[in-house]
């Protein structure tokens, strides 16, 4: 008797698949369109630097994209409603490019008292800080590390 032949196992779809990249880009757009990065920068000055903010958005989006479906749906819904809450909290206009550096902090403080918005701010800020200050999530290419000031 001869040993049974073995077929090579096809490679598993890893984090580098085109579908995963599309999902990540969709979540990055959701995070930005929700207006979270300016609020993060208002809460933590380390997130006001563009390279750190980009790393924060990337890490937050990758984490949210990896959540189980029910949680992803809830976060997607919260991010759709969040810009309305931002406008209601401060109807003076967009937070991007504002000369008043305390304004995003005030808006974040107001939103931190609204159920749902408070949780989104708290969770996203924690993820953003982790991504910006500790490095990228596994499977994503990292830019060369920069010294913290």
């Amino acid at each position: 008797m001869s040993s049974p032949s073995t077929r090579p196992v096809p490679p598993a779809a890893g984090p580098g698949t085109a579908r995963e990249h599309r999902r990540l880009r969709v979540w990055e757009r959701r995070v930005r369109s929700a207006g979270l990065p300016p609020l993060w920068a208002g809460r933590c000055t380390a997130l006001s630097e563009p390279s750190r903010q980009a790393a924060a958005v990337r890490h937050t989006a990758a984490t949210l994209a990896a959540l189980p479906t029910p949680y992803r749906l809830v976060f997607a819904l919260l991010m759709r409603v969040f810009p309305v809450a931002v406008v209601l909290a401060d109807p003076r206009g967009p937070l991007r490019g504002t000369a008043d550096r305390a304004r995003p902090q005030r808006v974040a403080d107001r939103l931190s008292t609204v159920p749902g918005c408070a949780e989104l701010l708290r969770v996203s800020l924690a993820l953003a800080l982790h991504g910006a200050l500790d490095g990228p999530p596994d499977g994503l290419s990292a830019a060369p590390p920069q010294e913290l000031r």
Side-chain angles (χ1 to χ4, degrees), residues 91-109:
R92 289 187 289 167
L95 293 173
R96 286 187 197 153
T98 182
D100 184 7
R101 302 200 105 219
R103 186 172 164 218
Q105 175 65 38
R106 286 192 307 266
V107 172
D109 289 342

Side-chain angles (χ1 to χ4, degrees), residues 73-140:
L73 292 174
V74 169
F75 274 104
L77 178 65
L78 277 173
M79 283 195 219
R80 290 280 186 154
V81 176
F82 196 75
V84 175
V86 170
V87 169
L88 291 174
D90 186 26
R92 289 187 289 167
L95 293 173
R96 286 187 197 153
T98 182
D100 184 7
R101 302 200 105 219
R103 186 172 164 218
Q105 175 65 38
R106 286 192 307 266
V107 172
D109 289 342
R110 288 180 193 148
L111 290 173
S112 67
T113 63
V114 178
C117 293
E119 286 77 14
L120 179 62
L121 272 174
R122 184 177 46 82
V123 168
S124 66
L125 181 62
L127 291 171
L129 285 170
H130 178 65
L133 302 177
D134 290 340
D138 294 337
L140 296 178

Side-chain angles (χ1 to χ4, degrees), residues 47-71:
L47 294 175
S48 60
E49 184 181 315
S51 64
R52 287 189 184 143
Q53 196 171 79
V57 168
R58 192 171 32 255
H59 179 76
T60 304
T63 303
L64 294 175
L67 290 174
T69 303
Y71 296 105

Side-chain angles (χ1 to χ4, degrees), residues 15-32:
T17 64
R19 184 177 182 186
E20 293 297 319
H21 286 294
R22 279 192 304 273
R23 179 185 283 180
L24 181 61
R25 298 300 167 239
V26 165
W27 278 98
E28 285 178 5
R29 282 192 303 272
R30 285 179 181 160
V31 168
R32 285 190 178 98

